[in-house]
Amino acid sequence: MSSDRTVAGVSPARTARPLNLADLTNVMRAAAAAGEVVGVIGGGSKINQGAAPTGLDVLISTASMNRILEHAAGDLVITVQAGAPLADVQRHVASAGQWLALDPPEVGATAGGIVAAAASGPRRLRYGTPRDLLIGLTVVLVDGTVAKSGGKVVKNVAGYDLGKLFTGSFGTLGVIAECTFRLHPLAPARRVVTVATDEPAVAAQRVYASGAVPTAMEWDGATMTAVFESIESAATQQAADVVAVLASTGGEVGEVTDTVPAGFGARPWRPSGYGLKLTHRIGALTEVLAVVRDTLPEAELRAHVGSGVTWLGAAYVETEVIEVLRTALAAYDGGVVVVEAPVELKKQIDVWGPARGIDVMRRIKDQFDPEHRMSPGRFVGGI
Amino acid sequence: MALRTYECDGLASYRCTPGVVVLAKTTDDVAYVVSRCAERGIPFVARGSGTGLSGGALPREDGVLIVLSRMNRIVDLAVPDERAVVGPGVINAHLTTAVASDGYYYAPDPSSQQICSIGGNIAENSGGAHCLKYGFTAHHVTGLQVVMPGGSVERFGGLAPDPVGYDVVGALVGSEGTLAVVTEATVRLSRSPQAVQTLLAAFDSIEAAGAAVSAIIAAGVLPAAIEMMDALAIEAAEAAVAPDYPAGAGAVLIVELDGPTCEVEANLADVERLCRQARAYEIRVASNDAERAVIWKGRKSAFAAVGRISPDYIVQDGVIPRTALAQVLAAVEEVATAAGVRVANVFHAGDGNLHPLVLFDESKGETERAETVSNRIIDLCLEHGGSITGEHGVGHDKKLHMGKMFNEIDLDVMQLVRCAFDPDGICNPGKIFPTPRLCGERPGRRSGVHPLQEAGVADVF
C-alpha cells in the first residue's frame, strides 16, 4: 500500500495488509507480542476524522479483505469482509433488486469503515444508520482473539450486541473483520421534489402533513429536496401531493424529477477547510440554523431535515467559535464534532466535545484494550 | 407484602421467592438500594411488569428484587422532537395512547403491550408483530438514564441523534438487566401511517402460505407485519376466541400494510394477487378497525388459546432464515411425530421468528418428551443458521443454549462488556450466560393458567 497513508496526520511506522481473517489474526498477535500500537484503515475516506492518535506503529489496511462472503438474497441478508467497498456491495445486491440502505457521501468507503465511523447519509431518515442495519459482526481484538456476535438473521436477541459497541468506535476496541447486514428491496421508482426555502423545518412539516413518507429530506442552504422512493404510482402520487401542499403555501417548487440533484447529500466543506457536524433535537432545526447564522454568518450549511443532524463548512473556524457553538447546541441536547480540520490544528482542539457517560466508556475501553494499543487518542475523551 | 407475588415472571415454571422486594418510586430509590447491595455484595434483579417469557426477572432468594412498575410516569412528551422521556414502568401501550391525538405512536408492539413495561421491553429488546418494517426496541431507544451496579447514576444519549462515544445505549438495550438498572428512557415517537390495510389469506398448507410469503418479499413489498398460523394453532384460536377464520385452512397468513394511502392500496392489490397465485382459497380484507381487530384477535390470543386444546404446553421462540421455513417446519413435524407430541405453530413469518407451541399432558408423563422436542426445535433453528431467541430473550431459560450458538471465546468477549459495567457480578447474575443452576430451576414449560391471566391483568401471547 502507499506509504503516504496517515491517520489524522499521524504516519505509521509500518503497514500491514492481511489477506484474510487468519492473516489478520496473525498480524494482531505479532503486534501484541511486540507491544505495538495499532491503527486500522479501510478505504481511507474518513481516515482524517477523529482526533490524532497518540501513537501508530502499525497501520492495518483491510484493502485485501474485500470479498462478499454470502448474499442470502431470499432472506435479504449479506455478509461481507470489512474491506468490501460499499459500491461493490451495492452493485452485487442490486442484481437481486436489493440494496444496503446506507448512503454516506464519502467516495471509496468500505463496509468496515462505514461501521467503524457510523457513517450515514440522507436516507437515514427512513432507514437509520449503520447500527440499525448491522445484524452480525466478527472482530479481532487487540490480542488476536476472534469473536463474533449477532448472527445472520435479522431478528435475534441472543447475547450482548457487540455490533452496537463497535459501530462508531473508530478502531479503538478492535478490528472489524466481517459484517452482516440486513438489506432492503430497491424501490422501483423515485420522485424528487425541490422547494426553495430558508425554513426547511417548516417545509418538512408540510411534507409530513401531506401524509407522504419521504426517504430523505435534504436542505443545502437554499433548497430542500424531498425524495420519494416506492412503487411507481405511489412515488408519483406522493410527489404530486407534496408539490400541491408546498405550492399552496407559496413555496417556489421545482419540476418533479426522478433523479436527485447534483451534490445531493454532499458535505458543505472543502479539503483544506473546516467541517463540523452539529447534532440537535429534531424540532430545534430552526433555532440551530439561527444560532449558526449569528455565530458564523459565512458558514455553508446542509441539513438532514427531520433527523437532527446539520453539517457546517467554513474556510476557517476559530477554536472559540467551536466552543460557542457547543454551548449553544447543548441547549438542544446536541453537540458539535469537528469532522474536518487541518491536521495540525486537530492536535490542539477537542474534536469530539464532551461525551455523556465517558466514565463507563473508559471502562469499556479498558476491558477490550487494557494496554490502550488500539487507535489510542483518536476517540472521545482521549480514548 | 406477599413476596411470592414476585416469585416468577411470565415464565411461571421457574419460581424463586426473592429475599427482599423493593417497590422503587424514583431513581434515587433505585440508586440507594443498589448502593447498599454493592456495599454488601448482595445480588439484585430489576423487574418491570413481569411479563417476560425467559425468566429474565426471576428473583433470587439471596437477593433484592427491585420492582420498577411504580416508576410509570411519562416525564416528557417532546412531540416536535419525535421523542418521549418515560419512566421504566410506563406500560408500552400507554405511551401510544398519550401521543395518538398528536398523530404519533410508539412503534415496538409486543403482544403483551397492554401490560408490559417499556423498561422490560428495553431489557429484552422486545419485538412485536410490526418489527418486520419498523425494527425492535433497540431501534427506538435514543437515551437512557441508569443506575450502575456500583450505585452511581449515569446518562447515555438523549433527545438528539448520534451522541458521541460508544453506543452504550445500544449495548444496554437487550442486555436483559445484567448491566445496569434503567430508571428513565428516551424513545422515538413515530408518525401514524396515513393508511392501514389488513388481509387474511387461507391456504391448504404451510408450504403454500410460505410460498406466498416468499413471493411477497421477492416482489419488494415490505409489509408492516406478516404473521402465520398453522392448522393446530387455528384450531386452538377458534376454541378460545372464535375469530372465525376460513374453515379447513392448513395455514392462514395475516398481512398488514401501512404507509401513504396510494402505496398501501397498490401494495394490497399486489399482495392479494400473490396470495392467489400461491393458491390462497379465501382472502378477506378488513374494511374497518373492528374487522381488523377480529383478524388480529385469533393471532394475538394464540399462545393462551392452546390451553384450550392441551393441558400443558411450552412456548418456544426461535429464528430461522425465512427461506428455510418449509424445511424447518417439516423437520419440526417429524421430530414431534416421532416423540408422540403435537406442535402448534405460530410465527412472525416475515422475519423467520417461530413460536412453536409444544403441547403435552404432564399427568400422562409426557413432560420429558415435550422438553426434548422443544430443545430439538432450537437445535433445528441453529442448524439452519438461525438464533435461539428472536424476542423473548435468553434469561434464565435458555442460557444453556448459548454455548451452541456462540463458542467459549465469543462468550468470554461478551463477558468483557459485563465486567465493564458489573465487575462484582451482582446485577441480575445467573442470566444469559451458562452458569451453575439456581433455585427452583425446572425446564421451561407452563402448566394450567398463568397467575397473571387468572388475575385478569394479562393474557399470554
Side-chain angles (χ1 to χ4, degrees), chain B residues 385-455:
Chain B
S387 169
I388 62 172
T389 171
E391 55 187 3
H392 294 173
V394 178
H396 182 69
D397 188 41
K398 286 194 171 162
K399 55 189 184 180
L400 295 178
H401 292 296
M402 279 291 279
K404 300 180 196 167
M405 184 162 169
F406 298 103
N407 66 29
E408 282 303 311
I409 295 170
D410 300 332
L411 296 176
D412 286 349
V413 172
M414 288 183 195
Q415 200 63 30
L416 296 176
V417 181
R418 178 69 176 268
C419 297
F421 285 84
D422 179 30
D424 299 325
I426 58 171
C427 189
N428 203 11
K431 309 291 163 64
I432 303 181
F433 302 102
T435 52
R437 296 205 163 213
L438 301 174
C439 61
E441 190 170 16
R442 286 165 58 207
R445 62 182 177 77
R446 184 173 297 142
S447 197
V449 180
H450 189 277
L452 279 175
Q453 267 176 280
E454 202 167 42

Side-chain angles (χ1 to χ4, degrees), chain A residues 11 35 71-72 96 106 144 155 161 172 180 182 202 220 230 233 235 275 277-278 293 305-306 314 332-333 343:
Chain A
S11 300
H71 175 208
E106 294 87 5
K155 205 169 180 186
D161 189 352
T172 60
T180 303
R182 171 188 190 173
V202 175
D220 67 0
S230 181
S233 61
K277 179 186 183 184
L278 317 183
R293 284 172 183 137
V305 185
Y332 309 111
D333 206 47
V343 287

Side-chain angles (χ1 to χ4, degrees), chain A residues 74-75 124 131-132 145 148 155-157 160 172 182 208 230-231 238 277 280-281 283 307 333 356 363, chain B residues 81 132 138-139 157 159 161-162 166-167 178 191 263 266 319 322-323 348 353 387 389 391 405 410 420:
Chain A
D75 297 311
R124 61 177 288 156
R131 78 188 291 280
D132 301 309
T145 299
K148 63 181 165 59
K155 205 169 180 186
N156 171 22
V157 296
Y160 296 146
T172 60
R182 171 188 190 173
Y208 289 140
S230 181
I231 44 177
Q238 289 182 83
K277 179 186 183 184
H280 48 84
R281 293 192 281 105
S307 291
D333 206 47
R356 221 171 253 172
R363 285 154 63 175
Chain B
D81 300 320
L132 177 63
H139 299 116
L159 296 163
D162 301 1
Y166 298 129
D167 185 359
T178 62
R191 241 176 304 282
E263 185 180 277
V319 187
R322 185 188 46 249
T323 47
H348 306 300
N353 187 188
S387 169
T389 171
E391 55 187 3
M405 184 162 169
D410 300 332

